[in-house]
Amino acid sequence: MRLIAAIVVLTLVAIGAGALAGLHLFAAAERVADAKKSATPPPVASSYAGSARLRKLSPIVTNLAAPANNWARIEASMVTESMSDEDAGILAAHISEDIVTYLRSASVAQFEGSRGLQHLRDDLTERAAIRSSGKVRELIIETLVIQ
């Protein structure tokens, strides 16, 4: 009888200790969840200065060099330093001309795969930077359709 009473007492002590540990862990988890909810996310660091602006170029449609029956349509934007809208419009027209010239001398094989698209983006960004004397930081290709 004493053995059964000792087992019952130990069982009740174990149940009580387990309940207290569970309540403590539950409260700690709630505190962590509340802290995550109320914490403000760190500001996103931008690689551009506050004066940088995104300017959309008009869609460009032109034929490619090889094969001759293929056409390309490209929509792009350029990241520029702060400049007047008139200067930006003129610069956008010149960059669009450069893109047409580049695409007319290119073949479809140059644009295949992710590496080809990255080379296209790098080449066009370099041409835009040269044309603008460094005022264009990046040329972002939004869409490219070859038909």
Side-chain angles (χ1 to χ4, degrees):
M1 195 61 150
R2 264 175 98 171
L3 182 63
I4 293 177
I7 292 176
V8 170
V9 169
L10 284 176
T11 302
L12 292 176
V13 169
I15 290 172
L20 287 175
L23 290 174
H24 178 69
L25 289 174
F26 183 72
E30 281 185 338
R31 282 193 306 270
V32 169
D34 289 341
K36 284 186 178 180
K37 285 181 186 176
S38 63
T40 59
V44 177
S46 175
S47 60
Y48 303 112
S51 63
R53 289 193 54 199
L54 183 70
R55 300 175 191 275
K56 192 165 183 64
L57 299 175
S58 58
I60 299 166
V61 178
T62 186
N63 58 333
L64 299 175
N69 61 350
N70 281 359
W71 288 79
R73 181 177 194 272
I74 189 168
E75 292 182 19
S77 297
M78 60 182 183
V79 179
T80 62
E81 297 291 330
S82 61
M83 58 175 45
S84 69
D85 288 337
E86 183 178 334
D87 291 340
I90 293 170
L91 182 60
H94 286 299
I95 290 174
S96 294
E97 289 174 3
D98 285 347
I99 292 172
V100 168
T101 304
Y102 180 83
L103 289 176
R104 284 192 175 174
S105 66
S107 66
V108 174
Q110 289 177 274
F111 309 133
E112 289 180 353
S114 61
R115 183 170 285 171
L117 186 60
Q118 183 65 37
H119 285 302
L120 171 67
R121 182 179 169 272
D122 292 341
D123 288 344
L124 293 179
T125 298
E126 183 179 348
R127 285 175 170 257
I130 291 170
R131 170 65 82 167
S132 67
S133 302
K135 292 180 183 174
V136 174
R137 292 187 179 180
E138 186 178 2
L139 191 81
I140 300 169
I141 298 174
E142 295 173 3
T143 61
L144 173 65
V145 178
I146 297 177
Q147 192 174 23

